[in-house]
Amino acid sequence: MTTNLPWKSRALAPALSNLQVLRIAGSFRPLERFWQLKQLQAGADGYFYWKHRRLGGIYDVDAADDARTIGQVFNANLYWCVISDVIVSARFGIFFPGNAYPPEANDSEIYVSTVLTFSI
């Protein structure tokens, strides 16, 4: 079962077992001077994953090599409160596997999502 914690990367989404995670994040409102886009917020974050014990496993069975570096995830997101009852958000993420993955399983994984929320 995968939990949906806010700090958890969506491109990798690992269960926490033998994992160490470093997260770096930031956001800003780039178009605050325009009243139509005042509530538009852009953000980005990066996750760096490595094994706590090099010889231990993690829940992703593809990461079976005896290396500590699991990989990095970079996410970008936009969040726009158009009006009080309408919110648009978009998120993009990409996972770059590290040395814990064998060469044949060492492909980047991309995550894209768009959400439109409105209240009636």
Side-chain angles (χ1 to χ4, degrees):
M1 181 171 123
T2 306
T3 58
N4 218 1
L5 299 173
W7 50 266
K8 215 169 177 183
S9 166
R10 303 219 193 291
L12 176 61
L16 295 179
S17 171
N18 192 35
L19 278 181
Q20 293 186 0
V21 181
L22 171 66
R23 177 181 182 228
I24 300 170
S27 66
F28 66 104
R29 296 183 190 269
L31 303 171
E32 203 169 48
R33 62 184 169 166
F34 302 105
W35 68 270
Q36 303 94 331
L37 299 173
K38 187 173 186 170
Q39 296 300 320
L40 176 69
Q41 181 175 340
D45 53 10
Y47 295 84
F48 302 89
Y49 296 95
W50 64 95
K51 292 180 183 179
H52 179 69
R53 287 184 305 280
R54 183 177 61 84
L55 297 177
I58 62 171
Y59 275 97
D60 188 345
V61 294
D62 288 336
D65 286 6
D66 291 336
R68 288 189 73 190
T69 307
I70 295 171
Q72 301 86 35
V73 173
F74 298 100
N75 295 317
N77 58 69
L78 289 173
Y79 175 87
W80 183 27
C81 184
V82 181
I83 57 175
S84 63
D85 294 336
V86 178
I87 298 170
V88 178
S89 64
R91 186 171 178 93
F92 169 81
I94 187 165
F95 171 60
F96 298 102
N99 295 331
Y101 289 88
E104 61 272 6
N106 200 359
D107 291 331
S108 298
E109 181 177 329
I110 297 175
Y111 171 86
V112 178
S113 128
T114 304
V115 178
L116 171 64
T117 307
F118 62 94
S119 301
I120 299 176

